[in-house]
Amino acid sequence: MAATFTEAPAVVHDPWFRPGERRLAHGHSTCAEPARSATLARTDETAAARFPVLSDAGRLVAWSTFTLSPRLVLSSGLIIIATWSVGIGIVALQPETPLGFGLPGPGPAALARYLDPAFIDIAAWATGVFTACLITGILAVVVHRTHRLVAAQACVERARDNLARHVSANLVDELAELDEPFGPARIQDAAILFADVIGFTSLCEGRSPQAVMAMLRGFHERMADCVFEAGGTLDKFVGDSVMATFGTPKPSRRDATNALTCARKMLACLDAWNTERRAQGEPVLKIGIGLHFGPVVLGTIGHERRVEYAVLGDTVNTASRLEALSRDLQTSLVSSHALIEKVRAEVGEHTVRGMHRHPPVVVRGRMQAMEVWILVEHGCKPRLPLFEAESATTS
């Protein structure tokens, strides 16, 4: 009886072979491809998790951007890259550490070596270093530009704040949009106001420097508020005196009226403050105000390191001398006839009520007598200036 031999299928040893799977030499197992895909996926995961430090380091660099400091961003990135590289170098110098460059070659041995947790891929390290440097540099540039933008915005806000200290709030937005808010040097008509504390030197006697400064601050704050409420420009504080202009840098149709309104506001505000001072046992304050309207010179003066916007001219000097004349005329407000006429032309006669036309007086610095108006207060009788009274007595 002839023996019958059946050829056993050949078993092929495949690196993708898994236990429990048999693969024919001339056939393909349906389980082989899923095993191959799973192994490749495991290879990618191993490569992705090979250097997890960079992802954590990237978060640290990203957090450093909130400081808006390019140097801190660069230093953070470089420190992280250097620390990571030193750690990789220490591990790579170990004799048992497998090294390689790039993806594994063909064959199960190369794949097993690549999948070794201790394996170090030099190409992956170089790619990570380059990526980290690139991201750090980009973030540093972005932070630098953001820092400059924030600094520029801060300068703009600071300029607006400085501008708001000189002009009323309704002009700040309009002037801030101009490259040259005050414009070039020019001549234009404007109303000038000077206000000065009468007897300030005697008020300071026997008082501490802190008390004197507190009194000055309170006076300046209240007078400045009156100027801004009337739409004026606060030109300067000179000791206990205040200079304000109306019609600068931008003229309006009510400059003279606004100046007279501001003077009345100052006197009313001072009366209210004096009531508080009496209740606190503090001495009351008296001020003299001078008003004039006419042409002035507008422009910037000073050194290149410190430029000041100035209002100059005979109109300014006359307003200052009218303020000094208030002591001789025993009134709190002296205005030139030119300003009163301008007020009448702007709004009418009703605004000048309470003002009394005074006989012409000689103002220091002028050759001819000047017509002035004074505020007639309750219980106050206008009289000639002292120097004119003395001249009349001599005659």
Side-chain angles (χ1 to χ4, degrees), residues 91-125:
V91 176
L93 292 177
Q94 302 298 321
E96 65 277 6
T97 301
L99 302 176
F101 190 88
L103 295 176
L111 179 62
R113 184 169 177 269
Y114 184 79
L115 295 178
D116 188 348
F119 177 78
I120 294 180
D121 186 359
I122 304 301
W125 168 80

Side-chain angles (χ1 to χ4, degrees), residues 59-70 72-73 139 143 146:
R59 296 188 185 97
L60 294 177
V61 176
W63 277 107
S64 66
T65 59
F66 290 100
T67 62
L68 295 182
S69 174
L72 183 59
V73 174
L139 289 177
V143 169
T146 304

Side-chain angles (χ1 to χ4, degrees), residues 13-73:
H13 295 282
D14 195 325
W16 306 104
F17 175 76
R18 300 249 179 131
E21 175 190 347
R22 295 178 59 85
R23 187 171 182 186
L24 301 178
H26 301 288
H28 298 278
S29 172
T30 56
C31 298
E33 290 303 327
R36 189 189 308 269
S37 301
T39 305
L40 290 175
R42 186 155 51 91
T43 303
D44 294 338
E45 293 175 359
T46 303
R50 180 80 61 186
F51 305 107
V53 181
L54 276 184
S55 60
D56 298 333
R59 296 188 185 97
L60 294 177
V61 176
W63 277 107
S64 66
T65 59
F66 290 100
T67 62
L68 295 182
S69 174
R71 294 182 180 180
L72 183 59
V73 174

Side-chain angles (χ1 to χ4, degrees), residues 261-325:
T261 301
C262 179
R264 295 182 186 272
K265 285 180 177 289
M266 286 180 170
L267 295 175
C269 182
L270 185 64
D271 289 340
W273 191 33
N274 281 332
T275 301
E276 298 177 5
R277 293 179 63 84
R278 288 191 189 96
Q280 299 173 358
E282 297 288 338
V284 299
L285 300 182
K286 295 182 179 180
I287 62 173
I289 301 177
L291 297 173
H292 189 36
F293 184 87
V296 295
V297 179
L298 308 178
T300 55
I301 60 174
H303 191 265
E304 60 181 4
R305 296 183 179 179
R306 188 183 185 280
V307 178
E308 179 180 350
Y309 185 76
V311 182
L312 308 172
D314 180 68
T315 301
V316 178
N317 299 333
T318 302
S320 176
R321 286 158 187 168
L322 289 177
E323 179 274 317
L325 191 64

Side-chain angles (χ1 to χ4, degrees), residues 335-357:
S335 173
S336 65
H337 182 69
L339 186 132
I340 298 298
E341 288 297 315
K342 185 64 176 178
V343 171
R344 287 173 171 172
E346 289 176 352
V347 295
E349 186 72 26
H350 66 279
T351 308
V352 300
R353 291 176 182 175
M355 300 296 294
H356 175 76
R357 188 168 185 172

